[in-house]
Amino acid sequence: MRACVATTVHHPEDARIMHRQIRALLDAGHEVTYVAPFTHFNVTPAAELSPVDVAHLASAGRVRAALRRGLRGADLLIVHEHRLLRALPHRRPPVVWDVRERVAPKRLDRARQRHRVITPAEVPEATLVSPAPLPPGDTRVVHIGRLSAERGVMELIGLAEHLVPHGIRVDLIGAAAPGVRPLLRDAQRVGLLDWYGYVPLRHALRMSEGALAGLSLAGASVTAMPTKILDYMGRGLPVVTTPQGAGPVEAAGCGMVVPLDLDAVLNAVLDLKEDPELRVRLGKNGHAQARLRHHWPDHAPAFVRQAESWAATTTHALAV
């Protein structure tokens, strides 16, 4: 099978796209063409891929041209944003829309009339669970993932300043939106925090181990459950999250749910620092639940089988 995977929004090294779905297809022996904004994010495509570079948030015309290149010989197209469904070439294989955020039921119903749809219930968010993570420490907290205003970057910078007197550092691991990069550079320059920029997922997960807590400070405009929460659970970290990540945290009993408010986040972190038994218990709860329900290798075979079954409905090779 040859699959084409496409996005113009996400980082090409997005964990769900590259490190779970594409990696599962490659490991199963399939070929993958990846249409993604490599240049925009300054990413060199993996050697196993057939890459097609596309502009970040490209226009419909440019998306359609990129898809035509990517779909040569493809048996299946998986798109990771709804807007790509409006830019599909006329001749194409079966199309799959991977839905990651809350979508109106009517939009889902319309999509299902013409295409296949993957929802989190069918291919759940997952992570790579460490078999034996380090126990939570008390000298740093971490944030993995993209840094932006809607993902609480101002609260993270303010938190870093308030934690300095308590001997706790803030480690920020992830690319940042252009508008907040100067703020992060300034905060790092004066010693408030450590901002590592983009780090490959496996390395980022290892870097997070042993932290006091993993932070997820998503605002109300973020509608998808932040996958970083599962990453923290899989590394045995207590989670401090805003309500957008409350579901898995409350189900596992592995952290604290707080409003997007600096004082609330600060108090949660300091409570964990002062209670070693609590943070160890929360970390163990999260790790156990992640291993039971959210370990990607347990879900990968079903995803590959589903992709293969959809591709099998292709009746002829494309010549786009």
Side-chain angles (χ1 to χ4, degrees):
M1 179 181 72
R2 185 178 188 89
C4 178
V5 179
T7 181
T8 71
V9 172
H10 303 92
H11 193 289
E13 293 283 341
D14 177 88
R16 180 177 175 90
I17 301 173
M18 180 65 221
H19 295 284
R20 292 197 274 279
Q21 295 185 5
I22 289 179
R23 178 53 55 191
L25 292 169
L26 291 172
D27 289 348
H30 299 299
E31 299 178 55
V32 177
T33 298
Y34 191 13
V35 179
F38 296 104
T39 298
H40 176 83
F41 287 102
N42 193 30
V43 170
T44 300
E48 311 101 305
L49 296 171
S50 297
V52 175
D53 194 28
V54 65
H56 184 240
L57 293 173
S59 66
R62 291 187 175 184
V63 168
R64 190 172 291 111
L67 289 176
R68 286 196 184 103
R69 295 196 301 274
L71 287 173
R72 291 191 179 101
D75 304 300
L76 186 71
L77 170 62
I78 304 174
V79 301
H80 286 267
E81 53 188 288
H82 181 265
R83 63 191 292 270
L84 298 191
L85 297 179
R86 299 192 294 270
L88 296 173
H90 176 66
R91 301 191 68 192
R92 57 183 184 263
V95 177
V96 180
W97 173 29
D98 185 8
V99 180
R100 300 170 62 164
E101 300 187 352
R102 287 196 296 270
V103 176
K106 288 185 178 179
R107 174 177 285 187
L108 276 179
D109 290 341
R110 287 196 299 269
R112 284 194 171 104
Q113 291 172 8
R114 302 184 64 185
H115 309 298
R116 285 74 173 170
V117 175
I118 295 174
T119 66
E122 296 158 333
V123 178
E125 292 291 1
T127 188
L128 298 174
V129 179
S130 172
L134 297 173
D138 65 357
T139 61
R140 62 189 180 99
V141 293
V142 300
H143 175 281
I144 296 176
R146 184 166 172 80
L147 296 153
S148 62
E150 61 270 21
R151 287 170 171 79
V153 73
M154 298 307 300
E155 287 77 12
L156 288 167
I157 293 172
L159 178 68
E161 182 175 7
H162 283 76
L163 288 177
V164 169
H166 300 279
I168 303 173
R169 295 284 293 178
V170 174
D171 286 352
L172 305 179
I173 307 170
V180 304
R181 290 171 193 165
L183 301 175
L184 291 166
R185 293 190 191 105
D186 289 345
Q188 181 160 259
R189 188 176 300 116
V190 298
L192 290 183
L193 52 79
D194 289 312
W195 174 38
Y196 295 93
Y198 170 75
V199 175
L201 179 65
R202 289 181 182 272
H203 300 306
L205 294 178
R206 285 196 294 269
M207 289 170 64
S208 73
E209 286 196 30
L212 186 153
L215 306 176
S216 178
L217 307 184
S221 63
V222 177
T223 59
M225 192 280 292
T227 57
K228 62 176 64 69
I229 289 173
L230 303 183
D231 293 334
Y232 301 148
M233 292 168 60
R235 298 290 145 163
L237 301 182
V239 181
V240 176
T241 180
T242 47
Q244 282 67 25
V249 173
E250 292 176 338
C254 65
M256 302 178 179
V257 179
V258 299
L260 186 56
D261 173 81
L262 176 56
D263 288 338
V265 178
L266 175 64
N267 289 335
V269 171
L270 293 180
D271 286 346
L272 289 170
K273 180 177 175 63
E274 296 303 317
D275 194 338
E277 292 184 0
L278 173 63
R279 65 176 183 263
V280 169
R281 183 173 74 253
L282 296 180
K284 287 183 176 180
N285 289 348
H287 183 260
Q289 185 76 355
R291 186 62 189 86
L292 179 65
R293 299 185 180 276
H294 303 295
H295 188 41
W296 173 245
D298 294 340
H299 301 284
F303 166 73
V304 172
R305 288 194 299 271
Q306 182 65 82
E308 291 169 341
S309 71
W310 283 328
T313 64
T314 302
T315 58
H316 63 279
L318 293 180
V320 293

